[in-house]
Amino acid sequence: MRTALIQITSSDDPAETLPRVQRFLSQAVAEGAGFVLTPEVTNCVSSSRSHQSDVLAFEEADATLAALRADAARHGIWLLIGSLGVKVPGETRFANRSFLIAPDGAIAARYDKIHMFDVDISETETYRESDGFRPGDRAVVADAGFARIGMAVCYDVRFAHLFRRLAHAGAQVLTVPAAFSPVSGAAHWHTLLRARAIETGCWVLAPGQTGSHPVRRGPPRSTYGHSLVVSPWGEVVVDMGTEEGVAMVDLDIGAVDTARARIPAIRHDRPFEGP
């Protein structure tokens, strides 16, 4: 499957960001992509909860989701919208929700990010994702025809048991859209993604936000970039660096079976007690 990763610097204005995403999507399709992936919080990168309340919408009214679904249908492609911040009925917090869109524009699968990024990276860099986003509670594997897709988002990558469950449930491709911190990204991003691929024998597709994000309200935000494609053998096939753009890769799903035949660890789990 000809696959494209989009790396972008989203602002905190969904209406301003959407046309830029669509231009990259059209570029990917022009280069032959049948499966396109965008980063985490494609619609809005913001640390201001009040601003998010003003610009985010419920899923059924989200303009970014509607437009990208229409684009997927027009182009006849599979599209992973890495995630969107969306309002949730009856909730004061938002959902960080990943969408797999089918070639007819239908929503084939939804996944709400399970693990919240509540960390103190330094005295000046702290994050409390759970203040604004409520965690999901359900892992998701979706059948996209060309492959079975295990869905995750960003900070999920640090929880290896989630990816093991996805692989045991049949995932051949793991999607990890992200808006990774530059500090933790430089230290851990490549290692974590390669480990998840090696442990499961899956392709790992990780489109990321990059650079310094334009914000109208709230503190500034920067992200690491380096969108990656990692093969089932753990090789970094694509590293997009820090510039916005589109990267193409041809996914050979047969490489999953090859990697798992060489080292069939996915079949060697055993029950144990303790500690």
Side-chain angles (χ1 to χ4, degrees):
M1 170 61 77
R2 187 81 166 150
T3 298
L5 271 61
I6 292 174
Q7 181 163 281
I8 194 168
T9 308
S10 295
S11 74
D12 64 356
D13 180 356
E16 183 275 334
T17 300
L18 174 59
R20 296 168 52 234
V21 176
Q22 291 178 301
R23 286 195 295 273
F24 284 129
L25 178 60
S26 295
Q27 177 185 335
V29 172
E31 295 182 25
F35 182 32
V36 180
L37 301 89
T38 73
E40 182 182 20
V41 287
T42 291
N43 58 340
C44 178
V45 173
S46 172
S47 300
S48 168
R49 304 313 179 201
S50 62
H51 179 73
Q52 290 169 323
S53 293
D54 289 342
V55 301
L56 298 184
F58 293 101
E59 179 183 313
E60 61 271 17
D62 189 274
T64 299
L65 177 59
L68 294 180
R69 288 179 64 186
D71 288 344
R74 182 170 65 257
H75 296 303
I77 61 167
W78 285 94
L79 172 64
L80 183 93
I81 305 172
S83 80
L84 302 174
V86 294
K87 293 181 176 178
V88 180
E91 278 276 351
T92 57
R93 293 184 293 175
F94 314 108
N96 191 341
R97 182 168 295 165
S98 186
F99 295 89
L100 181 64
I101 309 302
D104 63 358
I107 298 173
R110 299 169 177 83
Y111 166 73
D112 287 359
K113 183 178 180 181
I114 291 173
H115 300 97
M116 297 288 98
F117 193 52
D118 292 351
V119 303
D120 299 304
I121 291 177
S122 70
E123 291 184 1
T124 59
E125 188 175 2
T126 64
Y127 300 90
R128 292 292 180 271
E129 187 176 13
S130 65
D131 285 351
F133 290 86
R134 60 118 214 237
D137 59 8
R138 185 173 65 91
V140 175
V141 174
D143 189 349
F146 66 92
R148 288 183 59 79
I149 310 294
M151 300 170 69
V153 175
C154 201
Y155 190 51
D156 284 332
V157 75
R158 294 182 182 272
F159 299 86
H161 55 279
L162 170 61
F163 293 83
R164 197 76 175 177
R165 288 279 296 274
L166 295 173
H168 278 301
Q172 299 159 301
V173 174
L174 302 170
T175 56
V176 193
F180 232 70
S181 155
V183 174
S184 60
H188 301 148
W189 174 246
H190 290 71
T191 301
L192 286 167
L193 290 168
R194 291 189 66 208
R196 299 298 84 86
I198 292 165
E199 291 163 352
T200 63
C202 289
W203 284 97
V204 173
L205 307 179
Q209 295 279 354
T210 192
S212 298
H213 298 269
V215 295
R216 293 178 296 171
R217 288 163 58 186
R221 178 79 190 275
S222 295
T223 51
Y224 181 60
H226 291 277
S227 299
L228 294 187
V229 176
V230 185
S231 78
W233 194 243
E235 303 155 315
V236 175
V237 178
V238 169
D239 182 336
M240 293 185 67
T242 58
E243 299 300 316
E244 290 188 303
V246 174
M248 308 295 295
V249 64
D250 290 313
L251 288 189
D252 174 10
I253 302 303
V256 174
D257 291 336
T258 299
R260 292 176 179 178
R262 293 173 74 182
I263 300 181
I266 198 68
R267 301 200 305 269
H268 291 167
D269 291 272
R270 292 182 56 80
F272 53 86
E273 296 183 0

